[in-house]
Amino acid sequence: MRTIENHIFDELRPGDSASLARTLDHKDIELFAVMSGDVNPSHVDEEYARSAQFHKVIAHGMWSGALISTVLGTLLPGPGTIYLGQSMRFLRPVCIGDTVTVTVTVTALDRDTHRVKLDCKVTNQDHDQVISGTAEVIAPTEKVSRPRIELPEVHLHDKGRHYRELIAMTAHCSPISTAVVHPVDALSLIGTIEAAKANLIIPVLIGPEAKIRLAAREAGIDLAAYEIVPTPHSHAAVSAAVELARTGKVQALMKGALHTNELMHAVLAKESGLQTERRVSHVFVMDVPTYPRPLFITDAAINIAPDLADKRDIVQNAIDLAHARGIQTPRVAILSAVETVYPKIASTVEAAALCKMAERGQISGAIVDGPLAFDTAVSAVAAKVKGLVSPVAGNADIFVVPDLVAGNMLAKQLEYLADAQVAGIVLGARVPIILTSRADGTLARMASCALAVLLVEQQRKSVAGQSAAS
């Protein structure tokens, strides 16, 4: 076991020195910014840094200063040292990839007070001096030798990165006219207006006008630029929104402050709804900080216990969404409890059937495999341990759950235990339907709108291609 030891005052002599070297990487800057709260764009904003004095991201000056403290507290004099003062002059910036060497050297000793003065120098890999300075400490008088504490691993996650990338993909798209159904609370209005300001949607607010305007006042929102279609209650708002979609006056629907089943009842009405030949289904597109790509879960909100024919449409809907998201050949994991077909577990049999349907072209545009347990779908290590050879294992984009209960539990576990953000959208109707929850943050609501924008753009390109071909 490694130990950490000090040098007591009586052991110190002028000229004694100690050093450590450290190479700066981007995570060091992020961690220092998180710890200190210093988000100076010179350190954390690459775009700004390129136009600043040094034309690239530089470390916080006190990052190097903290390394001086490290040497004093762990090497010379070491544990038991009391830090009294420090002077520093910053001579050069430290950039990502630079290796700095910190050296402290004893220059003076006061035997009456046990005070020690040290010269402090930080140099880079080119031997250029980065920092010069002096430190004053009280050296320990008792010997310390203890096991070195192993620090916990720190994993930094860029929460929301996948959603920001998703929203950026819509930069070339026109905003879509969107019927926002019953937005009578501040939360649904804020998400709507933020999406409008981001040029994602052109909202048409449908519901009791007095309630909508009251919610806007509570949220500090000016509604002058937005159309309001007044209705007496939520049921009438749903009917009006569906009719606008049927007549092509809006390109998408967005749920406000009402229950999903009230909205979907009107969407699925046989004579007056928005059904197509395709089964309507829901997809959660989740930004999970620990997963390297967007994670699609279907169906966790609409189809309670889908049969095999329903699941074919559910899978195809999710594949089409992944294509709109820019994933050319998504990997689809048909989830169950085990990786083998077991007749007593119906979801394993359906998984095998769906794979055969994909093989025969009844499902297209993706690599489909199953049954897969969740661990093997997300972890190549788990798949290897189990001896599983699969083109999807460890790299899945789309997770097809056995039923709504399993999907809902999976999505909420990721949201509340893995710090995931959740965007949701309904597919298979004439227009995309943006489903939001009161728990959704603004970024997740905007991501849901961005998915609808990309779907509408995909449909526009498909129609244009068909017209050109004919």
Side-chain angles (χ1 to χ4, degrees):
M1 179 179 291
R2 295 193 304 164
T3 60
I4 182 169
E5 297 183 357
N6 64 1
H7 298 270
I8 62 174
F9 181 87
D10 290 341
E11 295 174 339
L12 297 175
R13 300 290 183 272
D16 288 349
S17 67
S19 301
L20 69 75
R22 184 74 58 82
T23 300
L24 176 74
D25 66 25
H26 195 271
K27 289 183 179 179
D28 292 318
I29 294 176
E30 289 182 336
L31 188 58
F32 195 91
V34 170
M35 178 274 297
S36 66
D38 184 351
V39 290
N40 181 336
S42 295
H43 311 308
V44 296
D45 187 334
E46 292 185 16
E47 181 180 356
Y48 172 86
R50 283 195 294 270
S51 62
Q53 180 179 356
F54 301 108
H55 305 298
K56 53 185 172 181
V57 167
I58 61 173
H60 302 77
M62 291 308 298
W63 178 80
S64 299
L67 296 181
I68 296 175
S69 176
T70 300
V71 178
L72 295 173
T74 63
L75 297 175
L76 186 73
T81 297
I82 299 174
Y83 213 161
L84 295 178
Q86 178 77 58
S87 69
M88 285 184 286
R89 286 181 58 82
F90 298 95
L91 307 174
R92 285 181 172 80
V94 176
C95 303
I96 294 172
D98 285 352
T99 298
V100 296
T101 300
V102 180
T103 304
V104 302
T105 304
V106 175
T107 58
L109 300 161
D110 186 330
R111 297 199 174 276
D112 293 331
T113 63
H114 298 138
R115 295 191 176 199
V116 181
K117 291 184 177 179
L118 304 100
D119 176 71
C120 305
K121 183 170 66 174
V122 181
T123 57
N124 63 21
Q125 67 276 5
D126 298 321
H127 307 293
D128 295 324
Q129 195 161 351
V130 173
I131 293 177
S132 66
T134 59
E136 185 176 6
V137 304
I138 297 177
T141 57
E142 295 182 359
K143 198 70 176 174
V144 174
S145 180
R146 298 184 61 80
R148 180 180 288 272
I149 298 298
E150 295 296 329
L151 295 176
E153 292 186 12
V154 176
H155 299 279
L156 295 175
H157 304 300
D158 186 2
K159 187 175 180 179
R161 175 173 63 89
H162 299 313
Y163 284 172
R164 292 193 296 273
E165 291 174 354
L166 169 61
I167 293 167
M169 290 177 64
T170 67
H172 68 286
C173 302
S174 300
I176 59 174
S177 55
T178 302
V180 185
V181 186
H182 206 244
V184 296
D185 65 349
L187 198 60
S188 57
L189 267 182
I190 289 170
T192 297
I193 302 308
E194 287 297 321
K197 290 179 178 178
N199 209 38
L200 295 169
I201 65 172
I202 301 170
V204 179
L205 310 176
I206 307 176
E209 184 170 1
K211 290 184 178 181
I212 293 173
R213 292 196 181 279
L214 176 60
R217 284 196 297 273
E218 291 176 352
I221 293 173
D222 182 1
L223 296 180
Y226 306 108
E227 180 182 357
I228 297 177
V229 176
T231 64
H233 43 66
S234 61
H235 186 70
V238 171
S239 297
V242 170
E243 183 59 26
L244 287 175
R246 284 178 60 86
T247 56
K249 294 179 180 178
V250 297
Q251 298 166 284
L253 302 186
M254 182 175 179
K255 184 173 84 75
L258 75 165
H259 292 297
T260 298
N261 60 354
E262 183 177 4
L263 174 61
M264 294 309 301
H265 180 76
V267 169
L268 297 176
K270 288 186 177 181
E271 300 299 327
S272 59
L274 300 173
Q275 286 186 297
T276 65
E277 294 181 356
R278 185 82 64 85
R279 180 79 177 185
V280 170
S281 63
H282 177 272
V283 180
F284 278 128
V285 181
M286 307 194 73
D287 189 311
V288 184
T290 54
Y291 202 61
R293 61 186 68 86
L295 190 153
F296 298 65
I297 296 176
T298 191
D299 181 342
I302 300 294
N303 294 282
I304 297 173
D307 61 21
L308 183 60
D310 295 336
K311 285 188 176 181
R312 191 222 76 89
D313 284 356
I314 289 170
V315 173
Q316 192 64 60
N317 285 342
I319 292 170
D320 293 347
L321 178 62
H323 290 166
R325 172 58 180 80
I327 305 171
Q328 292 185 354
T329 310
R331 291 178 171 85
V332 180
I334 313 297
L335 296 182
S336 188
V338 294
E339 289 81 20
T340 54
V341 177
Y342 186 54
K344 291 186 178 181
I345 303 178
S347 58
T348 66
V349 178
E350 289 185 341
L354 289 167
C355 291
K356 180 58 70 173
M357 293 169 83
E359 184 181 319
R360 298 288 171 88
Q362 291 172 270
I363 297 171
S364 62
I367 300 170
V368 181
D369 195 19
L372 292 173
F374 186 75
D375 59 343
T376 53
V378 299
S379 171
V381 173
K384 184 176 181 180
V385 168
K386 291 185 177 182
L388 179 65
V389 178
S390 164
V392 172
N395 292 293
D397 300 293
I398 298 170
F399 299 77
V400 181
V401 296
D403 55 37
L404 183 146
V405 173
N408 193 271
M409 292 173 65
L410 174 58
K412 288 181 177 176
Q413 285 168 352
L414 291 172
E415 181 179 7
Y416 288 97
L417 296 181
D419 203 22
Q421 295 190 74
V422 183
I425 194 161
V426 173
L427 311 164
R430 293 190 189 183
V431 298
I433 301 165
I434 302 161
L435 284 193
T436 58
S437 163
R438 292 190 64 85
D440 294 347
T442 299
L443 182 61
R445 290 170 182 265
M446 291 175 63
S448 297
C449 293
L451 289 168
V453 171
L454 293 174
L455 283 165
V456 170
E457 178 68 10
Q458 181 187 55
Q459 184 179 29
R460 184 192 65 78
K461 289 181 177 179
S462 176
V463 171
Q466 292 172 3
S467 298
S470 61

